[in-house]
Amino acid sequence: MAALAYNLGKREINHYFSVRSAKVLALVAVLLLAAGHLASRRYRGNDSCEYLLSSGRFLGEKVWQPHSCMMHKYKISEAKSCLIDKHIAFIGDSRIRQLFYSFVKIINPQFKEEGNKHENIPFEDKIASVKVDFLWHPEVNGSMKQCIKVWTEDSVAKPHVIVAGAATWSIKIHNGSSEALSQYKMNITSLAPLLEKLAKTSDVYWVLQDPVYEELLSENRKMITNEKINAYNEAAVSILNSSTRNSKSNIKMFSVSKLIAQETIMESLDGLHLPESSRETSAMILMNVYCNKIVKPVDGSCCQPQPPLTLIQKLAACFFTFSIFGYLIFYIIHRNAHRKNKPCTDLEGGEEKKNTVNISMSPLEILLQSFCKLGLIMAYFYMCDRANLFMKENKFYTHSSFFIPIIYILVLGVFYNENTKETKVLNREQTDEWKGWMQLVILIYHISGASTFLPVYMHIRVLVAAYLFQTGYGHFSYFWIKGDFGIHRVCQVLFRLNFLVVVLCIVMDQPYQFYYFVPLVTVWFMIIYVTLALWPQIIQKKANGNCLWHFGLLLKLAFLLFCICFLAYSQGAFEKIFSLWPLSKCFELKGNVYEWWFRWRLDRYVFFHGMLFAFIYLALQKRQILSEGKGEPLFSNKVSNFLLFISVVSFLTYSIWASSCKNKAECNELHPSVSVVQILAFILIRNIPGYARSVYSSFFAWFGRISLELFICQYHIWLAADTRGILVLIPGNPMLNIIVSTFIFVCVAHEISQITNDLAQIIIPKDNASLLKRLACITAFFCGLLILSSVQDKSRH
């Protein structure tokens, strides 16, 4: 009854809500969201620096998230690189002094807070030629005005950045009197023109006063109340913002520290000064405001302008635009032809006369339609991760953000189960299911930022290895059984793997190696192909006639293993091979191939394990040692129970080891050799019981069929800033944002999968003569792309 109810419910859902209608809904959602964000940008302004300086929230105890953009955590080398030959001046009271110390410690963590607190404090890094000064002026008075006035003179060198602020001393010395506030307004009014003049050539920030924790204030500070501080802040904002009559003031209000203080001031030791973690956050915000436009960190989207279009991106935009217009013309012509030949009703007989004209789409129209859709999708990619239209946020890991979604999808996966068409080991439905749940777990891992938690990281490494294991298993099985080493098969696989990545490299201006998984799978596919295709070609049909051929194949695999070991432990030889042009254009990242060597080496044995497993399994299957009937255990009951016990113990043993890892580098070193333990354990647990082989999760299998597209698309339209952050389509509601962005992301991935399949049928024909012509065109295209890329690189340098 439960199964019947499930099937009836599924049919009812599919009747009203199909994949096509989901995609239409996703398109409408994208258009509405884009319009909403565009209107918001025009109304509120498009300057993310203002958001960084004025708004944000805490994701955790010490992780600050600015509104709408991502904040980069600067390293010492990055800070020095940005501030080389720069002079930064902090002017104000003890709170500004605290900010000065935190700022300097980004450049030099060993700098100590010592000396007379009520005097000027200099700092200079002579190697980096960075100068940072604190000037003690605790009140906005004539002394501060004179200090700033000196910098306005043409003959005097001006600081590149000026950070000023004061008020609490005025409240304290004058016992919070209204006369002191009036004097403060007069003094800051006379100071405003000087700051405005400096702001034309330097970055000037006025730090608004943070709230105090009145219960902790000492007796001589009790007059410093939050009410008084708000009054002084209002005065400063109104005067400094109106310092220019006809245009917006160039003086920037540093008001974000107030929000930080509201959350952390209760941790203060004296009720007045902020705890160190809060000061560090404010200093890092200052560093982001000034340095992001210079250093341009990937995970620091605040204060970064939209990158200019490259020549290749402009050409791609023209190509997709022509494709869209070309398809629209074809569509109009096709529709008019359809109307002319529309069936008409026979008034006498009451029957429709059937149209005899074939209205099926031509290959050219399918090609234009596919590129039209792809152009619109790539426009969405660009809007999400290159244009400053949608917002981005930093990741923040908590155990609940990772494990709760995992439990949720596992429940869904178990609920949507069906019988398999066949009950062989690693049948098609089962491998799709395996790819599906692994891909969903990897997606959750990426968006939750779980890489910071080492046990989760190690288990995810096994999932990536398992995907590669499946690839080795699948390709070896195909070549071994079919013996099809034709060029059509190779081109189909290479096109299927690389089409989306090549398009993204062009549109998003990224190197091929950035999408590391696709180069990894591509290279290993070619290694498997070359290993098996080279003389002597040994396939199952030939080996069945003579057992010596099995020995020959094992020799081939042994030689392959030797080559893998040699390259794994000869970094120099590996880098020399892949640094050769044009391979270097594919495998270099940030000017070298180290990242490629690291990725390849991390899972160097798992493809070989997949090939070896396929060989052993197919040999056992051929000799009818396995029982793969429906409901039958894979081996005899005793052997099955023993292997199941060993598998469960091995699976748990690996998990215990991975969970006890203390050092990522050491665990990565062992991973290539031991990851196969958990992979084989899972295969045996999943396939030894007959009932387990007879069912699969259709929910996971659906995602498994588009797993490659999901893995690649997440880089730009689910995550953001090239996977460093999270895309925010709906600000202020993280849960709703994840639901909507995930829905659009999955629809886009599914559509790209269909586009790739449609284009593969046209671009990679079965006829060898036509295929060779297409390959010549593709080769010419890549040669042109390499030339344009070289021209771009020279213009950048």
Side-chain angles (χ1 to χ4, degrees), residues 93 95 138-140 166-184 208-212 214 217 219-234 272:
D93 54 15
R95 287 174 154 188
E139 287 191 88
V140 180
T168 54
W169 269 67
S170 298
I171 299 171
K172 177 184 174 182
I173 293 173
H174 300 95
N175 202 28
S177 65
S178 57
E179 291 80 6
L181 178 60
S182 300
Q183 186 63 45
Y184 180 83
L208 298 182
Q209 295 300 299
D210 302 328
V212 296
E214 297 179 16
L217 291 174
E219 287 300 322
N220 64 341
R221 290 174 175 168
K222 286 293 184 182
M223 70 291 296
I224 306 174
T225 63
N226 288 322
E227 184 181 353
K228 297 289 183 185
I229 285 174
N230 289 335
Y232 276 73
N233 282 338
E234 288 172 7
L272 178 67

Side-chain angles (χ1 to χ4, degrees), residues 497-512:
L497 290 174
N498 291 276
F499 173 71
L500 175 58
V501 166
V502 170
V503 173
L504 286 178
C505 288
I506 294 169
V507 174
M508 306 304 289
D509 189 29
Q510 284 289 4
Y512 179 63

Side-chain angles (χ1 to χ4, degrees), residues 2 168 200 264 276 327 329 334 443 665 728:
T168 54
K200 292 178 181 178
T264 60
E276 188 173 359
Y327 173 67
I329 292 169
H334 180 84
L443 290 174
V728 178

Side-chain angles (χ1 to χ4, degrees), residues 298-310:
V298 175
D299 60 342
S301 62
C302 300
C303 302
Q304 276 205 56
Q306 182 174 322
L309 288 172
T310 65

Side-chain angles (χ1 to χ4, degrees), residues 236-248:
V237 170
S238 62
I239 294 168
L240 294 176
N241 277 343
S242 59
S243 57
T244 54
R245 292 182 180 180
N246 300 322
S247 62
K248 187 179 178 181

Side-chain angles (χ1 to χ4, degrees), residues 748-760:
V748 167
H750 189 273
E751 184 62 30
I752 289 176
S753 178
Q754 290 188 334
I755 290 171
T756 304
N757 290 332
D758 290 342
L759 289 175

